[in-house]
Amino acid sequence: MADPEHSTTERTSLDDPTDEDEPAQVERPAVPRLDVGEFSVEGVIIHEVPERPSKALVRAGEAQDTEPFVTDIECELGVDFQHYLEGRIATSLSEAGFPVTIRDDTESVVPTLALEILDHPPDQGAPPPTFIEASQTMAERLHAAQGANSPTGLLAVVRGTWRRQPFVAALKLEKEEGLRIEAEEVGEHRTFRVVVERELVMTQNTKVFKTGIFRKTGQDDEVEAWVSDAQTYGGAGKVAADFFVERFLGCRLVDQPEILTKRFFDETERWINRAVTDPVEKTDYERALITEMVSNKAQVVPQDFAQEHFHGQHRAALLAALDDRGAPTFAFDKDTKLIARRLHEVKMRFRGGISVSIAREHFDSGLATLEKDTDNEELSVLTVRDFLERLGSS
Amino acid sequence: MSGDGIEELWSQYGTELPTWDTVGKVVAARLREATRALGILCTVSTRPKEMDSLLRKAIVKGRVDDLGAIVDKAGARVSTYFPEDAREVANLIRTGALFTVVKEDDKVAALRDDKIGYLGIHFDITLTRQDLPDDLPDVEGELWCEVQVHTAAQSLFAGVSHPLLYKTPTAPSPEVRRAINRLSVLGEIFDHELTVARGEIVTQAGYPAARLMFTLERHFLALAGREGDPETNQVIVDALAPLYGDAFPDVVEAQLAAFVERRDDRLRWVYGHYADGMVPFVLQPASVLIFERLDADKFAVRDRWLEAGLPLSILEKVSAAWGTPIT
């Protein structure tokens, strides 16, 4: 089996990323683009999904398994609540959204239910015929999919349009301040009444969302799907909990983590070499990129990376460049196996023809430094401060 | 003049009236849309000629047997605040892009420099049958409409002078007529002072920000069809204008125009969807500026917003509404 570290597809940091003659267009398929504009929520139904006791306790007869508390009519959707949901879905996707695709071999009924809802538009303002029953089944599926350590939460199944195409979203909400949710009877039906606490919502403090969203693209029967998981976002784990993406939504990642990681690394390095002229800034950014890659964080959030490590206009410029070049700007699981070798060395090529390769650790230890020339800021000065052990011809 | 002719005219015009009403409405709708697209503040009104008024005109002009020759059976009026805007509307009509212009009557040219009076610009224009719904009654002759363009001051003078000069039980004396006509000079002075004041404003310190505000108001009016609150907008412009650096204001105007053209569809959707006003700052002209900057560099917007001491929660909601959340 080929060693991925030494695969012929790997480029060195002196190759493609700095090649001035490379055409601007990238031939490889670009990752899906995320545009979170134009959300219009038209209906929502909420069910309670309680915490489950461990199987061991149930087997021992010390606890009984729980059941979801399902409602059977949509919540009253005031303008406040509508815009609240639209804003929260857009923000959660923008913050931590990543593309997924429906698994062919999934046992989850959620994709089928979502497609049914998308295929049946609302009937003169009333919810689509299958919407309420489908949402109840989704609540049961979420209850079955999540483990014993998942706290009691609410499942909001939301319908509407996103960029003028139908969408259906499953939002796992935690009961917390910001939303006051009260069970109530309406005639023979039971539902949740949602009161948006205006002041709290204004601060957008409400968080802890898991969002799974299916949207018709408007091209034939094509459906796109996105997930975000604020509970794992920025943490040491994956970009989303497996139970939510796989067992509940019946989806899988569109691209493999090692591919996304390599694209992000290549394009960020390429942009640093092309767009940043200050040698010190260039070195800082490159070092930040390497640190991001070798850190023990299990995911990369490009927006946060740009925000934390880049200066001024470079933040937006980097994200725009990644987007233009088909590299991910959304959060993704990190896997450095395709770039592992490149993470250990810094390669430099100077205009006069000198090429140098130095292990990154020597920059970290201070043995090697790269600075601006004090008389001419356009020039760089590479310094190796050490005892010369051997000198010879190649 | 035969009594039968008058009866026939009365009856025919009564039948045609829904069509003339629609002609005026179609013309007014086109004028509203076109002036809004140019960001011109104005009111557009329309109404068909009343039965009695038409009858009187036909008798006085001796056209009882030729209803088709009366060209003002439908009428539309555009009333602007500023004289420059009235001229811009007139230029728009002259292009012929909205309807066919058959005749123009510029009262300024008619009065020349030694007479005073009403100074509006009138156009006789025509529509085609394809411009109207199919189920309307046919009419005799062309689908005429008279379009009047004037300033609010000219409109005020026309509105009060016409009934006093022409619709009193006894004709006013020459002295009274002169006094009434003299009022038009007040309108002329009013309009002139507006133009002078506007010209002086552009030379004042702080004009670049004011000019930016003016540009934003025009874009917003064209996109959302409404006005904003000047004080709120000032706060936003003061906060975000530094993001344009030295380019302010000439290049900024070009940048904003390009942005509005490129993102026209999204802007109209946002202003329509959030027309309820429940998301702060969206229904303000300066939202165009916020959106343009969010597209350019949302991180810089966030930094400036905080430096200006504005609540981040508002930017979070506005940016989410635009589709570029800052968090």
Side-chain angles (χ1 to χ4, degrees):
Chain A
M1 196 169 75
D3 177 359
E5 267 199 56
H6 298 91
S7 150
T8 52
T9 59
E10 184 182 1
R11 297 184 304 211
T12 72
S13 54
L14 286 185
D15 293 335
D16 185 34
T18 56
D19 185 352
E20 297 293 330
D21 298 327
E22 191 195 15
Q25 296 299 319
V26 187
E27 285 181 10
R28 63 187 177 228
V31 294
R33 289 187 170 195
L34 178 59
D35 175 355
V36 298
E38 299 183 23
F39 268 105
S40 178
V41 168
E42 293 167 3
V44 57
I45 184 165
I46 296 179
H47 311 291
E48 187 175 270
V49 181
E51 184 176 350
R52 300 182 66 187
S54 71
K55 286 178 182 169
L57 285 175
V58 174
R59 273 198 301 270
E62 293 177 22
Q64 279 194 319
D65 202 356
T66 54
E67 284 185 7
F69 175 88
V70 295
T71 61
D72 53 10
I73 53 172
E74 289 191 339
C75 299
E76 189 181 329
L77 190 63
V79 174
D80 258 7
F81 187 38
Q82 179 195 352
H83 292 332
Y84 167 81
L85 283 171
E86 290 160 355
R88 292 311 299 154
I89 296 172
T91 302
S92 70
L93 287 177
S94 171
E95 204 168 57
F98 58 91
V100 293
T101 188
I102 298 170
R103 293 181 71 108
D104 294 334
D105 58 348
T106 183
E107 291 176 0
S108 172
V109 292
V110 171
T112 308
L113 296 172
L115 297 181
E116 263 181 41
I117 293 169
L118 294 178
D119 283 339
H120 293 85
D123 183 12
Q124 296 178 338
T130 58
F131 183 66
I132 289 168
E133 278 182 25
S135 73
Q136 293 168 339
T137 310
M138 285 183 188
E140 285 157 9
R141 178 68 196 174
L142 179 61
H143 183 252
Q146 68 186 17
N149 55 351
S150 289
T152 295
L154 299 163
L155 175 71
V157 183
V158 184
R159 62 181 177 83
T161 58
W162 175 18
R163 302 201 316 278
R164 302 176 215 192
Q165 293 294 330
F167 82 83
V168 58
L171 274 58
K172 186 167 186 263
L173 308 173
E174 296 298 322
K175 279 183 164 178
E176 61 176 349
E177 288 180 305
L179 285 178
R180 200 170 74 236
I181 301 180
E182 300 158 349
E184 69 173 10
E185 303 278 329
V186 178
E188 295 176 353
H189 301 286
R190 58 185 184 174
T191 183
F192 282 109
R193 192 162 74 91
V194 180
V195 181
V196 179
E197 301 284 1
R198 196 170 180 75
E199 291 307 313
L200 286 170
V201 171
M202 288 292 282
T203 62
Q204 300 274 308
N205 273 340
T206 307
K207 52 184 183 180
V208 196
F209 268 107
K210 287 187 200 299
T211 305
I213 187 162
F214 298 87
R215 170 187 178 264
K216 284 214 158 190
T217 63
Q219 294 170 338
D220 302 324
D221 288 333
E222 196 178 271
V223 170
E224 63 176 317
W226 294 83
V227 171
S228 86
D229 189 341
Q231 286 173 306
T232 57
Y233 164 72
K238 289 181 166 185
V239 287
D242 282 344
F243 88 82
F244 191 72
V245 178
E246 302 207 1
R247 296 203 296 277
F248 173 59
L249 293 173
C251 292
R252 62 173 172 78
L253 299 176
V254 165
D255 261 328
Q256 293 304 309
E258 65 268 27
I259 303 289
L260 292 172
T261 305
K262 184 173 184 302
R263 278 189 191 176
F264 174 79
F265 183 80
D266 283 349
E267 296 305 333
T268 302
E269 195 168 64
R270 180 180 190 277
W271 181 84
I272 292 169
N273 278 301
R274 288 191 166 209
V276 183
T277 51
D278 184 313
V280 173
E281 242 175 354
K282 198 176 269 207
T283 310
D284 286 348
Y285 291 168
E286 176 73 14
R287 190 172 292 173
L289 176 63
I290 300 300
T291 305
E292 183 78 14
M293 292 294 109
V294 300
S295 77
N296 59 6
K297 284 197 281 187
Q299 56 183 271
V300 177
V301 185
Q303 292 202 65
D304 290 356
F305 172 73
Q307 170 79 349
E308 285 167 22
H309 302 293
F310 285 47
H311 313 140
Q313 296 178 339
H314 286 159
R315 296 170 297 189
L318 170 67
L319 293 175
L322 292 176
D323 197 34
D324 283 349
R325 300 277 302 176
T329 55
F330 48 77
F332 59 90
D333 288 334
K334 186 171 71 183
D335 183 337
T336 59
K337 67 170 164 269
L338 295 181
I339 55 170
R341 189 163 58 96
R342 291 163 58 191
L343 296 178
H344 298 300
E345 273 185 351
V346 177
K347 295 194 176 187
M348 285 161 280
R349 184 170 63 196
F350 294 90
R351 200 174 291 170
I354 297 173
S355 293
V356 183
S357 175
I358 300 176
R360 294 188 191 279
E361 65 199 56
H362 298 321
F363 282 102
D364 295 337
S365 68
L367 276 184
T369 56
L370 185 67
E371 295 164 307
K372 283 185 203 173
D373 183 80
T374 49
D375 295 329
N376 182 351
E377 290 201 341
E378 290 183 8
L379 295 179
S380 300
V381 177
L382 174 67
T383 306
V384 175
R385 190 179 295 275
D386 202 354
F387 299 101
L388 183 65
E389 279 198 346
R390 195 168 70 85
L391 187 68
S393 56
S394 59
Chain B
M1 186 186 306
S2 74
D4 285 350
I6 291 172
E7 280 290 323
E8 199 175 314
L9 178 83
W10 183 268
S11 165
Q12 187 183 344
Y13 189 59
T15 309
E16 291 184 3
L17 204 51
T19 305
W20 294 114
D21 183 46
T22 306
V23 167
K25 284 176 177 161
V26 169
V27 169
R30 288 185 187 180
L31 286 165
R32 272 191 208 101
E33 189 181 344
T35 52
R36 184 179 151 179
L38 289 171
I40 294 173
L41 273 178
C42 61
T43 56
V44 181
S45 58
T46 176
R47 67 172 188 177
K49 201 167 192 68
E50 289 175 359
M51 298 277 283
D52 287 339
S53 176
L54 180 106
L55 198 59
R56 184 175 58 78
K57 185 165 189 171
I59 292 169
V60 170
K61 304 257 181 185
R63 285 184 169 161
V64 172
D65 299 324
D66 189 8
L67 182 59
I70 299 174
V71 300
D72 62 349
K73 295 185 284 285
R77 282 182 184 165
V78 183
S79 179
T80 68
Y81 296 143
F82 297 101
E84 301 81 18
D85 288 345
R87 284 196 284 277
E88 199 169 345
V89 174
N91 286 336
L92 170 73
I93 293 170
R94 287 183 191 114
T95 63
L98 303 178
F99 23 66
T100 304
V101 179
V102 179
K103 184 184 161 197
E104 176 180 342
D105 182 8
D106 185 347
K107 304 293 183 186
V108 176
L111 292 174
R112 306 211 296 193
D113 59 359
D114 57 348
K115 291 188 176 67
I116 57 171
Y118 169 67
L119 295 179
I121 308 171
H122 293 192
F123 297 88
D124 292 337
I125 65 95
T126 58
L127 294 182
T128 65
R129 202 63 180 78
Q130 289 73 38
D131 294 323
L132 304 181
D134 292 336
D135 55 350
L136 288 170
D138 284 332
V139 300
E140 186 181 323
E142 297 283 334
L143 292 169
W144 290 103
C145 181
E146 184 190 60
V147 179
Q148 301 180 359
V149 181
H150 44 218
T151 64
Q154 290 162 355
S155 175
L156 177 65
F157 171 72
V160 297
S161 64
H162 191 75
L164 287 174
L165 289 170
Y166 304 110
K167 295 193 174 174
T168 48
T170 57
S173 68
E175 290 77 16
V176 172
R177 292 179 68 82
R178 181 167 183 78
I180 293 168
N181 281 319
R182 203 161 54 220
L183 286 172
S184 70
V185 176
L186 289 177
E188 265 195 71
I189 293 171
F190 182 88
D191 281 347
H192 179 71
E193 289 300 316
L194 274 185
T195 303
V196 169
R198 216 185 201 188
E200 285 183 358
I201 286 169
V202 304
T203 62
Q204 287 179 342
Y207 170 66
R211 185 169 147 186
L212 177 59
M213 192 95 88
F214 179 70
T215 302
L216 292 168
E217 282 168 359
R218 281 208 151 197
H219 284 309
F220 184 69
L221 183 67
L223 293 160
R226 59 204 304 166
E227 297 171 63
D229 170 52
E231 288 178 3
T232 307
N233 282 282
Q234 191 67 55
V235 170
I236 303 169
V237 169
D238 287 348
L240 298 187
L243 290 172
Y244 291 108
D246 295 337
F248 187 67
D250 289 341
V251 176
V252 175
E253 284 181 5
Q255 257 175 272
L256 284 167
F259 166 74
V260 167
E261 188 179 346
R262 191 172 64 249
R263 301 284 264 160
D264 178 87
D265 193 45
R266 172 67 57 91
L267 285 161
R268 287 179 195 279
W269 188 91
V270 167
Y271 292 134
H273 187 69
Y274 294 99
D276 49 53
M278 296 303 287
V279 176
F281 290 4
V282 166
L283 291 186
Q284 296 297 334
S287 61
V288 177
L289 178 69
I290 300 174
F291 297 155
E292 194 273 338
R293 286 293 86 195
L294 281 171
D295 269 12
D297 187 347
K298 68 175 184 175
F299 301 109
V301 173
R302 188 178 189 279
D303 292 347
R304 267 305 304 154
W305 197 271
L306 288 172
E307 281 170 32
L310 297 177
L312 197 59
S313 59
I314 291 182
L315 183 61
E316 285 170 348
K317 292 170 89 73
V318 180
S319 62
W322 177 242
T324 310
I326 54 150
T327 50

